[in-house]
Amino acid sequence: MGAGRGLKFCIHRGSHQIGGMAAEFSTENARVIIDMGDELSLDDGFVSAPLHIAGVTDANGSCDAVLFTHYHGDHVGQLERVRPDIPLYTGAVAKDIMCMSAEHNQPENHALRNRLAGIRTFADGEKLKFGDIVVTPLMADHSACDSYMFLIEAAGRRVLYTGDFRLHGIHKDIMERLIANAGKIDVLVTEGTTISRAVGSFTSENELAERIPGYLKRYKYVFVLCATTNVDRIDAFANAVPEGKYCVSDKYQQSLVEVVSRHQGKKMPKLLYYGDNILPDIQKLGGLIFVRANPRFERIIKKFDRSRSILLYSMWDGYIDKPGSRLPEFLSLAGTWEKLHTSGHASAEDIRHVAEKLSPEVIIPMHTDAPHRMKQFFPAGNVAVLQDEEWFSCM
């Protein structure tokens, strides 16, 4: 764990890569892990290297808790490696989505489903105490709903751990309030997913949804391919479908939107699940249909007039560009296709905006393949680039 008193921080994995996240905050008498994720790769057959953290994945030490920022696989994919006696924590909506995803995608993995069922939940702003470490989850905006930043307080120091976030999502007002009300921050540990990309702002989620009625005027059938667990986007697109048009998904996607609507106390959007019984009505009236790139949806798309169809690709470009991808073939099933997407991560300018507002003594980049580029955005010299397993004293 390293020598010295006070609050210490370590990135076990993710200091120089996007995904595969695991980090730690510790003092002499408390220890908290944040995220246990799988590494990302576009290579077929890739298997993430297993995380090995003493006292977390083995019996050589103790750990008070493992907290998850959100439910994406590069943050939760290795939660099964956490020792069974160590409690796991996440948001209530995130827990439900993780349980539903495991039931849908890994029904035979009873051990995983049992572990997920036992996850403890927290609420936005609720203080969690682990020894002398106080962790406050702060709801953030990301392409996974119910995502959180964590305010870590110990030994008189305050560290904000951002997890994955952005300022152009549908919950951007939450982010602005969070930044305005965060108070004094000594250390900012921030994601830097996009800092190696071209500088510029991103299209907002609201702007994407505002384009849906226009597509439905120009095309009778609008197919949308997006991540199934990007529930906020599915909800926003569904709410943008005008009266008199169908909005259809599969049963699993509909169930995810329903559980989020229930948790948030919102009205469920007009979202039906696909069945051959409603096919004639959809063909007659037209509408928006959420699809997934598999043989079942290939058959469904082929039932509609190609000359009056468009497929909107609402995911990361890398899935199309990877060698051997069948996505271009799938996208060509409609008469035409276009990209309608925005990043789930903060732009470089937004990261700078957050840092300038919070004015921390030290900025530590993570979840990035170009951490040294962060120094170009903050030339004052207060960026500390860590290596995996390198300890940093927050004092």
Side-chain angles (χ1 to χ4, degrees):
M1 191 179 291
R5 297 178 179 273
L7 179 64
K8 296 173 292 183
F9 171 71
C10 172
I11 302 173
H12 289 290
R13 189 163 69 190
S15 66
H16 285 69
Q17 68 184 59
I18 296 170
M21 290 303 304
E24 176 176 341
F25 288 94
S26 66
T27 63
E28 284 193 329
N29 61 25
R31 188 180 186 205
V32 174
I33 302 295
I34 299 180
D35 291 336
M36 289 283 293
D38 276 330
E39 296 172 292
L40 299 174
S41 175
L42 291 174
D43 294 339
D44 291 334
F46 173 81
V47 177
S48 175
L51 277 163
H52 296 284
I53 303 175
V56 178
T57 59
D58 61 30
N60 298 320
S62 63
C63 178
D64 294 281
V66 176
L67 287 74
F68 298 106
T69 55
H70 64 286
Y71 53 72
H72 283 160
D74 60 323
H75 293 257
V76 305
Q78 297 202 13
L79 67 81
E80 288 182 274
R81 293 188 57 76
V82 178
R83 235 174 42 213
D85 61 301
I86 299 173
L88 310 179
Y89 290 79
T90 192
V93 181
K95 175 181 176 178
D96 279 359
I97 290 176
M98 290 162 67
C99 289
M100 293 172 69
S101 179
E103 182 178 356
H104 182 80
N105 297 310
Q106 302 182 57
E108 73 292 341
N109 191 342
H110 299 293
L112 172 61
R113 293 169 62 184
N114 289 337
R115 193 73 197 270
L116 292 173
I119 290 182
R120 304 178 187 184
T121 60
F122 51 66
D124 178 33
E126 176 187 2
K127 290 186 181 296
L128 308 173
K129 296 184 179 180
F130 306 101
D132 57 355
I133 298 177
V134 178
V135 181
T136 306
L138 301 171
M139 187 173 288
D141 187 275
H142 181 45
S143 51
C145 63
D146 205 33
S147 295
Y148 291 86
M149 296 184 175
F150 292 124
L151 175 64
I152 314 293
E153 297 175 279
R157 303 294 278 177
R158 303 177 86 242
V159 182
L160 185 64
Y161 183 97
T162 71
D164 294 353
F165 78 100
R166 58 183 176 177
L167 301 186
H168 57 276
I170 64 174
H171 303 298
K172 61 182 180 181
D173 56 328
I174 292 175
M175 292 301 304
E176 292 296 346
R177 288 198 299 270
L178 188 161
I179 296 164
N181 299 325
K184 182 180 183 297
I185 299 298
D186 299 301
V187 180
L188 175 67
V189 182
T190 178
E191 75 131 300
T193 308
T194 69
I195 60 174
S196 61
R197 305 175 190 174
V199 175
S201 60
F202 295 142
T203 303
S204 74
E205 285 285 346
N206 288 334
E207 289 172 327
L208 296 187
E210 288 167 359
R211 297 178 191 176
I212 293 300
Y215 281 111
L216 284 166
K217 284 184 178 179
R218 297 194 300 275
Y219 299 92
K220 189 170 184 178
Y221 312 114
V222 176
F223 301 98
V224 176
L225 176 61
C226 69
T228 298
T229 56
N230 193 346
V231 185
D232 283 338
R233 183 168 298 172
I234 295 173
D235 179 81
F237 282 13
N239 279 312
V241 175
E243 290 295 326
K245 296 286 185 181
Y246 274 88
C247 185
V248 181
S249 70
D250 68 8
K251 181 64 174 175
Y252 175 48
Q253 289 173 312
Q254 187 204 49
S255 298
L256 290 173
V257 175
E258 185 175 17
V259 74
V260 173
S261 298
R262 185 170 65 250
H263 272 286
Q264 296 179 349
K266 298 191 312 180
K267 181 180 178 182
M268 175 75 179
K270 183 190 70 176
L271 183 62
L272 303 175
Y273 66 89
Y274 182 85
D276 288 339
N277 58 312
I278 62 171
L279 175 61
D281 292 329
I282 305 172
Q283 290 172 325
K284 179 181 178 180
L285 296 177
L288 184 145
I289 305 173
F290 292 100
V291 297
R292 285 188 276 164
N294 62 38
R296 178 179 181 239
F297 282 99
E298 288 180 10
R299 294 191 294 271
I300 291 172
I301 294 172
K302 290 176 181 178
K303 294 178 180 180
F304 295 88
D305 184 350
R306 290 184 79 253
S307 67
R308 307 177 73 180
S309 302
I310 186 171
L311 200 159
L312 303 178
Y313 180 74
S314 196
M315 299 175 71
W316 179 50
D317 286 353
Y319 297 126
I320 301 177
D321 299 335
K322 83 168 193 175
S325 172
R326 292 191 65 249
L327 272 178
E329 180 182 345
F330 181 82
L331 296 174
S332 69
L333 292 173
T336 187
W337 72 273
E338 293 181 11
K339 296 176 184 177
L340 186 68
H341 184 55
T342 192
S343 179
H345 300 272
S347 67
E349 287 76 12
D350 284 343
I351 293 171
R352 177 158 47 195
H353 169 73
V354 171
E356 288 176 349
K357 287 287 186 180
L358 298 177
S359 191
E361 297 172 12
V362 181
I363 300 168
I364 300 175
M366 62 171 187
H367 203 281
T368 176
D369 53 8
H372 287 88
R373 281 211 64 186
M374 195 75 81
K375 293 183 176 181
Q376 299 176 23
F377 294 97
F378 304 100
N382 60 336
V383 175
V385 176
L386 304 184
Q387 302 295 320
D388 285 357
E389 303 294 352
E390 178 183 357
W391 284 95
F392 176 86
S393 173
C394 299
M395 304 307 292

